Amino acid sequence: MKAAEVKLLLTSSPFLKQEDDMPTIMRQVIYSLVPVSLAAIYYFGLGALLLILVCVGGALGTEWVFSRGKRGRRLSIADGSAILTGLLLALVLPPAIPLWMALLGAVAAIGIGKMVFGGVGSNIFNPALVGRAFLQAAFPVALTTWVPQGGWQSLARLYPTQFGMPFAKTTVSAVTTATPLSQMKFAGQTTDTLQLLLGNTGGSLGETCALIILLGGIYLAWRNYLNWRVPVAVFASVAVFAGILHWVDPLKYAPPMFHLFSGGLMLGAIYMATDPVTSPVTQRGCWIFGIGIGVLVMVIRTYGGLPEGVMYAILLMNAVSPLINRVTQARIYGESRKKDKG
Amino acid sequence: MFSWFTQATKTFRHGIHPDDYKELSRDRAIERMPFVDEYVLPLSQHLGAPSRPVVKVGDKVYRGQLLAEPVGYISTSLHSSVAGRVKAIELRHHPSGKMVESMVIERDPYSPQTLINQYSLEWENLSPEELLYIVQHGGFVGLGGAAFPTHVKLTVPEGKHAEFFIVNGVECEPYLTSDHRLMLENEQPIFLGIRIAQRILGVDRVYLGIESNKPDAIAHLRKTLPPDLNCEIVPLQTKYPQGAEKMLTEAVLNREIPSGKLPIDIQVIVNNIGTLASIGQLFQLNQPLIERIVTVTGPGINRPSNLLVPIGTKLSDVLEYCGGLKENTLQILFGGPMMGAPQLHLDVPIMKGTSGILCLTDVEVQEREEYPCIRCLRCVDACPVYLNPSRLGALAKVRQYEEMMDYHILDCMECGSCSYVCPSNIPLVQRFRVAKALLREKQAKARKKAG
């Protein structure tokens, strides 16, 4: 081609770009949750799949209603964040929760948790946890009713309670079970760590099999899609806190391994606390943030009225993260930290 | 992160690891570009005051003859890169996008194009002041891209002293290979340039920083280094923007240059390797700065090359010599892909500060959808001067430029690392440039008002 015929574009450098964009990151996180979801379906049957579909659908629908304009709608659906929120919400709900409640939770998660703040990137609290906190406040009984685990034989099962209607008294009496944490809290029984790792225990949809969650987290950290400092800080502070308690009184307090692998800690630390939007923007801040979550989890689990405290711990630390940002502001290049403070 | 596996461990903190694409032109030996018919020499090819012409339209000039002299201290000379006739002194397209007063030289087709008077200068007998005078009147500027007059950089201000001299052989911009080829093919002028700089500065300790993606250059310079030259060759990890003065100083000496200060404030002087080689050539051949090595590269050019180009050669002539552009070329840059300046006109000349010509096609140049910031921290981890581009970007978007000052926006050196890593495709550095320009303008106005 003759040089004189070239039509040149005038834009500003840089002209190189890392290929990972935001939808890619969201997609990767969703992919890493697929094994977790499959484990949930294995343990809780077709009902689990139904719950996931309802939550994801509800989240997408709410996102669509709240976003404005053709371009805005296309982008906010395409970035995948609503799917992720819906999926995460489903994974922290009890398997047999009535589906209409789950739908309401998804609407609250996206609507109150995210869109009223201005959409992706502007929310203060983790949207999925806002949805769950909303449900916990509105329907405390449904949120603490757990069903026992199944396996291959019961893969096709659905739960009668799932199809309950709003304001209708449900007369079905389901078989219920306890979670390892409530057993610990109210009966003083600990569960075997291997059972916790494999997820052969009662609990929310996605928080039973700690091993798969941990593997997903390692994958994401390896690909640099999540900040490993946050979960590491959470685990370390939980382990230290629980270790001290267990050392003081081994009969009254559970060992650190139990606390690490039970309840929502794995899912919360790896998938909820690492939400970039609601965690601090400095590396030092992320350490503080993670340690704060771990300490709060242990305080609630040990001294609070509830058996589990991951959700509130993360939401509370979310609220503090702007403050953490302010106090952990990085020093400017070429200045020593001391001088900065003086 | 991979420093444990490679030999070179020295580097600075933060920064990014883009693909370097240097394989396109890395193995192409430097070629001398043939003379063409017309050369355009802008009077402003350096930072500072434009030079003042000393020849008139119609005058006959020789290759290497003085065309314009420096005006004031931060200014430099301009020499003819070709023997011929001054055709015009008029406004011409300048790579900055403006129209700039330029000398147009028409080549004399019958001239053998030898230097006006070629001899080597006996620099050992000259004082530092005399050497600096020769450097200024040889028209030297930083060849790395910023084109800051070299004699200013090599002057130690009153009350300060230099202890370390760092030679910048990093060439951290992807695609560019001109310094790499220079180190491989023409090392003697580099060593001579280092000696002269040593004498000017009164510095004994010299470090030559080279990134480990040029292992052959490191080996070659180590082999050919004269035993009496006190110069340590320092292999560095490959990382962008290591060629920035602050980053290079940190990588080599592990010292940070304070915000708003110059390297000399921590007893360091940094200079580009290409500039030193040209200074060496000045004293070897009495050749002022009339030609330079330019990497012509990118997926859009048919024959990627490293060319020795007379200053003032027009872009279109260079492209034609390199086999022309491919059909889908969309963008031509002067410089590298991270900080280079896009060109709109093909008649702009190669200047003293033009390190490369990069031709990008519609494959590399893509419009990307901008998403909201998710505060993923990648830009914070990339910024070499520890700014918070995420916060600055949010402020820039709503034009809160004054508040950006509190977040040290003026420390930003526009390396583009934040825009490179941003997963939401936010044009961070692009917005910072606008903010900085407006803030500078405001400051200048305030200063004028104050008196």
Side-chain angles (χ1 to χ4, degrees), chain B residues 48-98:
Chain B
S51 319
R52 184 193 307 125
V54 295
V55 292
K56 297 184 303 293
V57 176
D59 281 3
K60 208 169 170 218
V61 292
Y62 297 97
R63 181 154 176 259
Q65 185 183 328
L66 183 72
L67 293 181
E69 57 184 11
V71 178
Y73 178 56
I74 304 188
S75 182
T76 188
S77 310
L78 181 64
H79 300 81
S80 181
S81 42
V82 65
R85 196 178 59 88
V86 182
K87 193 172 158 193
I89 303 177
E90 60 185 20
L91 290 176
R92 286 289 184 113
H93 286 303
H94 187 268
S96 69
K98 297 177 195 142

Side-chain angles (χ1 to χ4, degrees), chain A residues 1 3 6 8-9 11-15 17-18 21-22 71 75 121 224 276-277 283 331-334, chain B residues 246 250 256 325 327 330-331 333 337 342 346 369 373-375 378 381 386 408 411 419-420 422-423 425 433:
Chain A
M1 182 158 83
V6 187
L8 293 177
L9 200 69
T11 53
S12 179
S13 60
F15 299 93
K17 186 82 188 66
Q18 200 164 42
D21 57 0
M22 202 252 270
R71 182 178 175 272
L75 288 186
N224 194 23
V277 178
Q283 301 292 20
R331 74 191 170 91
I332 284 305
Y333 189 86
Chain B
K246 284 186 172 186
E250 186 190 340
E256 291 185 10
L325 295 167
E327 285 289 331
L330 258 188
Q331 202 141 35
L333 308 177
L346 290 174
E369 204 78 72
C373 170
I374 53 168
R375 280 174 272 165
R378 288 185 183 197
D381 269 355
Y386 309 157
H408 307 278
D411 280 17
S419 296
Y420 172 78
C422 182
N425 301 327
R433 278 193 202 114

Side-chain angles (χ1 to χ4, degrees), chain B residues 130-363:
Chain B
E130 286 167 321
L131 290 172
L132 270 178
Y133 180 87
I134 295 172
V135 168
Q136 180 178 16
H137 290 266
F140 284 87
V141 302
L143 298 186
F148 195 74
T150 303
H151 65 280
V152 184
K153 279 199 86 169
L154 289 180
T155 306
V156 181
E158 198 112 1
K160 297 190 174 148
H161 90 112
E163 197 151 326
F164 309 99
F165 182 55
I166 302 178
V167 182
N168 187 347
V170 170
E171 202 164 52
C172 64
E173 274 269 9
Y175 286 103
L176 302 187
T177 54
S178 52
D179 288 348
H180 187 180
R181 290 314 306 182
L182 171 73
M183 288 187 264
L184 280 179
E185 294 179 40
N186 207 5
E187 70 289 341
Q188 287 313 319
I190 300 176
F191 298 138
L192 181 57
I194 291 174
R195 284 180 205 272
I196 288 159
Q198 265 181 322
R199 186 173 171 87
I200 293 176
L201 298 168
V203 171
D204 193 36
R205 290 163 77 179
V206 180
Y207 300 91
L208 204 173
I210 307 176
E211 287 194 342
S212 51
N213 60 355
K214 300 181 257 297
D216 47 349
I218 296 172
H220 183 72
L221 289 186
R222 279 201 168 141
K223 204 175 72 199
T224 52
L225 186 72
D228 63 321
L229 185 61
N230 184 7
C231 173
E232 187 189 329
I233 290 162
V234 188
L236 304 168
Q237 273 181 55
T238 306
K239 204 203 269 184
Y240 179 87
Q242 198 143 237
E245 247 175 19
K246 284 186 172 186
M247 275 59 253
L248 181 62
T249 308
E250 186 190 340
V252 173
L253 296 175
N254 196 19
R255 288 191 189 185
E256 291 185 10
I257 300 168
S259 159
K261 293 283 173 69
L262 295 169
I264 188 65
D265 291 304
I266 58 167
Q267 290 89 46
V268 176
I269 298 269
V270 182
N271 218 302
N272 173 273
I273 196 160
T275 316
L276 287 172
S278 313
I279 291 176
Q281 228 147 40
L282 166 72
F283 286 88
Q284 258 178 357
L285 307 171
N286 190 31
Q287 176 186 308
L289 187 57
I290 54 171
E291 57 189 15
R292 66 156 300 147
I293 307 168
V294 178
T295 307
V296 188
T297 183
I301 192 83
N302 280 320
R303 199 167 61 83
S305 321
N306 295 293
L307 297 182
L308 188 61
V309 183
I311 308 284
T313 310
K314 280 180 284 181
L315 174 57
S316 50
D317 292 329
V318 177
L319 294 177
E320 202 166 310
Y321 181 69
C322 290
L325 295 167
K326 287 185 186 148
E327 285 289 331
N328 55 350
T329 303
L330 258 188
Q331 202 141 35
I332 298 178
L333 308 177
F334 271 13
M338 295 301 295
M339 292 184 77
Q343 299 303 318
L344 201 53
H345 303 283
L346 290 174
D347 57 349
V348 294
I350 305 301
M351 298 202 304
K352 293 176 178 176
T354 309
S355 50
I357 298 170
L358 177 55
C359 309
L360 297 173
T361 65
D362 52 9
V363 180

